Amino acid sequence: GAGVSQSPSNKVTEKGKDVELRCDPISGHTALYWYRQSLGQGLEFLIYFQGNSAPDKSGLPSDRFSAERTGGSVSTLTIQRTQQEDSAVYLCASSLDRGDTDTQYFGPGTRLTVL
Amino acid sequence: SQKIEQNSEALNIQEGKTATLTCNYTNYSPAYLQWYRQDPGRGPVFLLLIRENEKEKRKERLKVTFDTTLKQSLFHITASQPADSATYLCALDMPDDKIIFGKGTRLHILP
C-alpha cells in the first residue's frame, strides 16, 4: 500500500512569508508526528497527534508554528512569518497507534529554504 | 534532560567486516530503543526495536544489544556491504510519550 506522502517536496520562500506543508499518513494510522531535521542534526520533535486527542504541541519552537489534522487523517504544518532559521527538512511520520513500541513510518520530507 | 549520543564522526568499514555503531543516553532509562536507517534525501526507515528487558535482538545481518547499566545500545551489521552505507539513527521513548532521536552516525562501507 501507499506509504506516507508529503508535499511539496521542496519549498523556497522569502523571509516573512507563510508556508503550509502537507502530510498524508498511511491509511488507518491513528498517530501522526512532525519532526524537523536541520543539516547535520538529529530529528527535532515538533508535534504529535493521536486519534481525536488534543495534540502534544510541546515541541513547537515558537508560536509561528501551528499544525492541524483534519478528520484524523491529513495534517498541515503551517509556519507564519518564516525566518531563515526555519530552513530545514520537515519530516512527517505515522504509526498504527501510540502503543509503546509502535514503529514510525516516515515520509520523504519537505525541504524548506527561507531566503 | 535526556541526551542521546551517537558516534559523531563518520565510520568507515571495509566490506565484509562487522560495523558497530554506538548509542549512549544520559538519564532516563527508556522502555525501548529503536534503530532507523536514513539515506540521503529520504526519511528514516525503521530497522529494529529492543525492549529494556531484552539483551539482544537479531534480524538477518543486524544485531542490536541494550545494556541498561551502561546506558548503551550497540548496533552491529555483519558481513557489511557497500549498500549498507547510510546514516543510522537511534531513538528512544521518553516518559511523556515523545520519542527522541540521536543525530545519527554516517556509515561508509568501502568496497
Side-chain angles (χ1 to χ4, degrees):
Chain A
V4 177
S5 61
Q6 292 185 246
S7 61
S9 54
N10 280 285
K11 177 70 177 179
V12 180
T13 190
E14 292 180 348
K15 178 181 173 180
K17 301 285 189 184
D18 297 351
V19 295
E20 280 190 355
L21 312 180
R22 177 187 167 107
C23 173
D24 282 274
I26 292 173
S27 177
H29 280 194
T30 62
L32 187 147
Y33 310 78
W34 282 99
Y35 295 90
R36 178 168 71 175
Q37 188 172 36
S38 302
L39 190 63
Q41 301 297 310
L43 275 70
E44 176 189 1
F45 168 82
L46 297 177
I47 189 169
Y48 155 62
F49 295 89
Q50 171 59 60
N52 296 321
S53 303
D56 176 352
K57 303 180 182 179
S58 58
L60 295 178
S62 78
D63 58 8
R64 295 186 295 105
F65 287 72
S66 62
E68 290 184 337
R69 188 178 185 194
T70 55
S73 181
V74 172
S75 177
T76 302
L77 177 69
T78 301
I79 309 173
Q80 295 178 309
R81 305 181 302 282
T82 52
Q83 303 294 314
Q84 288 182 330
E85 61 262 28
D86 299 334
S87 297
V89 175
Y90 289 82
L91 288 159
C92 172
S94 70
S95 65
L96 188 59
D97 198 346
R98 190 50 182 95
D100 64 354
T101 58
D102 248 354
T103 299
Q104 295 186 37
Y105 295 86
F106 283 82
T110 293
R111 181 175 297 279
L112 174 66
T113 303
V114 181
L115 301 176
Chain B
S1 62
Q2 181 75 297
K3 290 185 181 178
I4 301 178
E5 296 166 357
Q6 295 189 249
N7 313 63
S8 58
E9 302 296 325
L11 193 61
N12 295 320
I13 299 294
Q14 200 66 41
E15 181 179 5
K17 301 291 186 183
T18 296
T20 298
L21 284 65
T22 305
C23 176
N24 294 297
Y25 55 93
T26 56
N27 293 321
Y28 161 72
S29 285
Y32 65 89
L33 192 147
Q34 301 179 342
W35 283 90
Y36 288 77
R37 169 184 172 141
Q38 187 173 23
D39 291 284
R42 301 201 169 197
V45 174
F46 171 79
L47 295 175
L48 278 170
L49 178 149
I50 187 164
R51 301 169 195 262
E52 61 178 338
N53 61 349
E54 297 176 318
K55 296 295 184 187
E56 182 179 297
K57 183 73 72 75
R58 291 177 184 262
K59 178 182 177 182
E60 298 174 353
R61 294 184 296 111
L62 308 180
K63 184 178 85 170
V64 172
T65 63
F66 193 5
D67 189 326
T68 55
T69 301
L70 294 178
K71 297 189 177 181
Q72 180 181 79
S73 174
L74 298 179
F75 176 80
H76 306 271
I77 306 175
T78 59
S80 59
Q81 305 166 1
D84 295 327
S85 299
T87 295
Y88 291 86
L89 305 167
C90 75
L92 49 87
D93 72 305
M94 295 287 288
D96 57 2
D97 280 350
K98 280 201 270 294
I99 293 177
I100 60 172
F101 284 79
K103 293 184 180 181
T105 297
R106 282 182 294 119
L107 176 65
H108 300 294
I109 305 300
L110 307 173

